[in-house]
Amino acid sequence: MKTNGLLKEDHLYLSDQKKLNNFPEQLAWMPRSSEILLSGTIIYGDDLQTLEGYISIREGTIKEIGTEKVDADLEGIVCPRFVNAHVHVGDSAFKDPPFLPLSDLVGPGGLKSRLLEKTPRDLLIEGMRRSLQDMAATGTFAFADFREGGEQGVKMLLEAQQGLPLTSRILGRPQKEETKIPKECWGLGISSTRDHELELLERAVAEARRAGQVVAIHAGEAGNDDIADALRLEPDILVHLNRASQDDLEAVAKAGISVVVCPRSNLMTGVGLPDVLKMLDLGITVGVGTDNVMLNSPNMFEEMQLLAKALLHDDRQVFKMCTLNGAKIMGIDQRTGSICVGKEARVMVINRRSNNLWGSQGPLASIVRRARPSDIVAVF
């Protein structure tokens, strides 16, 4: 197995954690035409069952899954990589601010907006790129970013992402009276409806729909007074909903709207945790995001642990929220998000013999509740 060289567009990447610390400059690679065999415990299929066996990867795609013993290139727990369904990587140049009320942190005129205004462009881009590198090193392959700054803000993110093997979905934000968002955006990303005139948001949503773009809105974070207006805009995705009532959640479920929860962020800002169990019981598709990088690292392992230990004692459902559900929300679940024949091989190998995971009684439970980035052997 060759381990020298740089990442090329026509190569599948394979890297150990040591190399990922210098990602991507010292990234190991293998030609995409080579067959790669991974064996061990496979977290398999859309229902995330465990299977002792192997997967074969060729041309960047999962070509075969079996139960026979093989001479594998790598062995361990083989599982899908993460989808970070809500993040603000633009805030990466000023981490860990004082504990402040939510409005003082990220509201109009708050600390975040003041820091964005005075931070030089090159430092903003460097911060974004470092966060994106951190995502890749900690198991994430796809993310949905709420992008401030209009067209220039989108260009900065695209510049920061250049050359990195990550799938992005950019959600642009309306700028003052301008309702059209950059063509590079996947959709429209709106902060709380209380931050804007409703008529402006209605025009922005109409513009997005004409362009075939999705609509995502922060709602129910500091209170539930903005949820009704958010629902009137008929979004595809709502973010947070930690203050949502039973009636609010029933309305969300009836409308078929997906939800992304960000529990670590909610703890940091003191706004309360979402009722994830109720959301799932109502049939809502729930994904997970790490939210503002100024508040939290984009490390999905930490998000999983909080979800599993504080909100939902269901390891399989938590892992699904952080992988396949996120892929569904981002519209990429037909080609990735789970380990199935024919899907892209967006997988990682976890060292089940690490000091941290040795003695595990259940591989999926240990990934969700205990694993950390240092347990990653390789990412694909």
Side-chain angles (χ1 to χ4, degrees):
M1 183 184 301
K2 293 184 178 181
T3 58
N4 61 319
L6 299 176
L7 177 69
K8 310 290 184 183
E9 287 188 359
D10 60 344
H11 288 76
L12 178 71
Y13 74 97
L14 168 65
S15 178
D16 61 28
Q17 188 68 24
K18 182 178 180 181
K19 289 184 179 293
L20 275 172
N21 288 336
N22 295 308
F23 180 85
E25 287 76 12
Q26 298 183 21
L27 196 62
W29 62 271
M30 294 181 65
R32 289 174 62 90
S33 59
S34 299
E35 180 182 45
I36 300 169
L37 292 175
L38 307 178
S39 70
T41 302
I42 315 297
I43 309 300
Y44 165 72
D46 287 356
D47 56 355
L48 304 174
Q49 298 300 315
T50 55
L51 171 73
E52 295 300 322
Y54 72 92
I55 69 170
S56 168
I57 300 171
R58 293 191 300 276
E59 300 292 333
T61 300
I62 300 170
K63 296 294 186 181
E64 186 179 332
I65 301 173
T67 57
E68 298 87 354
K69 289 187 176 181
V70 297
D71 183 15
D73 296 296
L74 286 171
E75 188 275 340
I77 304 170
V78 184
C79 60
R81 291 173 64 191
F82 301 122
V83 177
N84 191 335
H86 180 73
V87 65
H88 297 258
V89 296
D91 309 338
S92 301
F94 33 84
K95 300 182 176 79
D96 305 319
F99 289 96
L100 294 170
L102 180 65
S103 59
D104 293 339
L105 273 173
V106 299
L111 177 63
K112 169 182 165 173
S113 62
R114 298 196 303 273
L115 290 172
L116 284 172
E117 286 178 3
K118 71 179 186 180
T119 303
R121 185 180 190 275
D122 60 333
L123 291 184
L124 291 173
I125 292 174
E126 181 179 356
M128 292 184 205
R129 187 166 180 85
R130 286 176 177 270
S131 288
L132 296 176
Q133 291 171 340
D134 193 32
M135 281 190 198
T138 56
T140 293
F141 82 91
F143 66 97
D145 186 82
F146 266 53
R147 189 81 288 275
E148 295 95 347
E151 185 175 357
Q152 289 305 310
V154 172
K155 286 181 178 179
M156 283 194 289
L157 177 55
L158 293 174
E159 185 176 334
Q161 190 184 342
Q162 189 172 2
L164 300 181
L166 292 165
T167 298
S168 63
R169 291 287 187 262
I170 302 175
L171 294 148
R173 183 170 294 185
Q175 297 294 297
K176 298 180 180 178
E177 296 303 313
E178 177 62 42
T179 58
K180 188 174 182 179
I181 57 176
K183 64 181 183 301
E184 296 89 351
C185 290
W186 176 57
L188 174 68
I190 301 171
S191 62
S192 171
T193 54
R194 70 170 73 90
D195 295 339
H196 307 273
E197 293 292 333
L198 192 57
E199 188 271 337
L200 171 67
L201 296 181
E202 289 171 345
R203 288 192 286 117
V205 169
E207 187 73 41
R209 295 305 187 195
R210 283 193 292 271
Q213 296 167 321
V214 304
V215 175
I217 308 175
H218 293 79
E221 185 177 7
N224 72 344
D225 56 314
D226 59 351
I227 296 176
D229 282 340
L231 288 172
R232 275 193 283 271
L233 294 172
E234 299 182 348
D236 303 285
I237 305 163
L238 289 173
V239 181
H240 292 301
L241 290 187
N242 45 285
R243 292 294 186 92
S245 68
Q246 175 75 24
D247 289 344
D248 293 329
L249 292 179
E250 288 176 358
V252 170
K254 184 177 180 180
I257 300 169
S258 299
V259 173
V260 180
V261 297
C262 309
R264 280 193 301 152
S265 174
N266 298 153
L267 280 179
M268 170 67 191
T269 57
V271 294
L273 292 170
D275 194 339
V276 176
L277 181 58
K278 190 175 293 181
M279 293 177 187
L280 294 171
D281 285 344
L282 288 169
I284 297 171
T285 298
V286 182
V288 179
T290 57
D291 207 4
N292 298 66
V293 180
M294 68 183 287
L295 306 180
N296 297 298
S297 72
N299 179 352
M300 292 289 285
F301 284 104
E302 293 186 9
E303 216 70 46
M304 280 198 305
Q305 290 186 25
L306 177 58
L307 277 163
K309 295 176 180 179
L311 299 177
L312 188 67
H313 288 179
D314 186 333
D315 302 312
R316 182 165 283 105
Q317 188 61 252
V318 168
F319 194 66
K320 186 175 183 180
M321 288 164 58
C322 296
T323 54
L324 184 60
N325 281 10
K328 287 180 179 178
I329 290 170
M330 287 179 53
I332 56 175
D333 58 299
Q334 294 303 306
R335 59 184 178 90
T336 189
S338 59
I339 295 178
C340 299
V341 171
K343 283 194 172 185
E344 295 176 10
R346 302 287 195 160
V347 302
M348 56 185 167
V349 182
I350 305 293
N351 181 6
R352 57 184 169 189
R353 297 186 181 89
S354 71
N355 289 339
N356 183 38
L357 297 185
W358 186 89
S360 168
Q361 298 299 297
L364 186 58
S366 291
I367 290 174
V368 170
R369 300 184 221 165
R370 179 179 298 275
R372 53 194 180 214
S374 60
D375 296 314
I376 298 175
V377 175
V379 294
F380 293 81

